[in-house]
Amino acid sequence: MIGADTFRLDGRLALVTGSSAGIGLALARGLAQAGARVILNGRDAGKLARAGQSLRDEGLAVLERAFDVTDAAQVDAGIEAIEAQVGPLAILVNNAGMQRRAPLQDFPREQWSELMRTNLDSVFLVAQAAARRMIPRGKGRIINVCSVQSEIGRPGIAPYMASKGAVKMLTKGMAIDWGPHGINVNGLGPGYFKTELTEKLVADESFSAWLTNRTPNRRWGEVAELAGAAVFLASDASSFVNGHILYVDGGVTAML
């Protein structure tokens, strides 16, 4: 039976990485609105505290934990502290990510390494640390934030495309290995959304015109429109959804 409770997350603890702004903050807000206790994560403790207070001012149950998701030692210590001090993680959203743009022949090698650490390594590190604790409990939800660039490309962002394509396949691998232990692992693939990171693209009239013509919904996405998909993947409504990438893109990946 499907009812309102099917999509509720009451009593569940969720960690959202990279959630002091943008898509991560929107996902955290959505999970909290569905009843979850949410832990915000980022490297900037001050920015994280301000984001957490903004959600608490909305009446939502939110905590903050600052640690670097690209550092294995910090990840292990951070997850251990959350489990010991707050409670067992039921939901993990791997959202932390970054973008760097340059022609591939000129792309700095140090930026390649930085981008891969942030977009790919962090997903492995945090998910592994969480899964090691979810497996004995026989349940859990992991949502890895992919991208439409997990499927389609644009000039100047080949390393980003490579990282998000890898996150897509890592998500499937996690689902295969951890599904037998009661853990569902899925991807959330945002299209083009208005965030702090896309301000220049939004302001670029020629790009925005190209994008809206390329998008069946004929507009940019608003970050709040990602929350429903995250709640679905975190809830009992998706109990038999595993290894799937849910694109929320206004139809961009459907249109040539």
Side-chain angles (χ1 to χ4, degrees):
M1 293 289 291
I2 293 291
D5 289 347
T6 308
F7 295 88
R8 293 294 301 174
L9 303 175
D10 302 279
R12 304 182 197 186
L13 181 64
L15 169 65
V16 184
T17 69
S19 49
S20 60
I23 287 174
L25 183 59
L27 297 179
R29 175 180 283 110
L31 296 177
Q33 288 172 339
R37 282 191 304 159
V38 178
I39 298 175
L40 305 182
N41 162 263
R43 288 182 292 189
D44 186 329
K47 188 175 181 181
L48 206 59
R50 291 188 292 274
Q53 189 58 54
S54 71
L55 295 185
R56 284 189 290 274
D57 289 345
E58 298 174 21
L60 302 175
V62 176
L63 300 169
E64 304 93 48
R65 290 293 185 273
F67 57 87
D68 184 350
V69 293
T70 70
D71 183 303
Q74 289 192 43
V75 168
D76 290 342
I79 298 297
E80 180 63 32
I82 288 169
E83 292 260 336
Q85 299 168 10
V86 185
L89 275 176
I91 302 161
L92 166 64
V93 180
N94 276 310
N95 169 75
M98 67 182 303
Q99 175 66 289
R100 292 286 184 265
R101 300 174 185 275
L104 188 56
Q105 67 273 16
D106 300 324
F107 201 90
R109 292 179 178 178
E110 62 274 14
Q111 288 190 12
W112 167 277
S113 298
E114 178 191 28
L115 190 147
M116 290 300 167
R117 285 195 305 271
T118 304
N119 291 3
L120 180 59
D121 292 0
S122 69
V123 174
F124 166 71
L125 293 172
V126 183
Q128 184 187 61
R132 285 173 172 168
R133 292 158 176 84
M134 292 175 174
I135 286 171
R137 296 193 285 264
K139 59 182 178 180
R141 291 285 196 277
I142 297 176
I143 302 168
N144 296 327
V145 175
C146 300
S147 169
V148 293
Q149 267 80 48
S150 297
E151 297 290 341
I152 59 178
R154 287 277 301 158
I157 58 169
Y160 181 82
M161 291 159 53
S163 72
K164 289 301 185 177
V167 171
K168 177 185 76 170
M169 295 310 298
L170 181 57
T171 298
K172 292 176 182 289
M174 289 176 178
I176 293 165
D177 282 8
W178 297 338
H181 300 285
I183 301 171
N184 285 22
V185 187
N186 293 289
L188 180 61
Y192 285 86
F193 283 79
K194 294 178 181 178
T195 71
E196 296 91 334
L197 297 179
T198 60
E199 284 179 350
K200 290 184 178 179
L201 289 178
V202 174
D204 184 331
E205 292 183 4
S206 61
F207 181 84
S208 280
W210 172 85
L211 176 65
T212 53
N213 285 328
R214 174 75 169 71
T215 304
N217 278 39
R218 293 295 188 267
R219 62 178 177 84
W220 285 80
E222 302 289 342
V223 290
E225 294 177 292
L226 286 163
V231 169
F232 166 68
L233 292 176
S235 74
D236 293 341
S238 62
S239 59
F240 204 57
V241 180
N242 203 9
H244 177 70
I245 314 300
L246 176 53
Y247 291 101
V248 184
D249 63 358
V252 162
T253 53
M255 185 171 172
L256 183 63

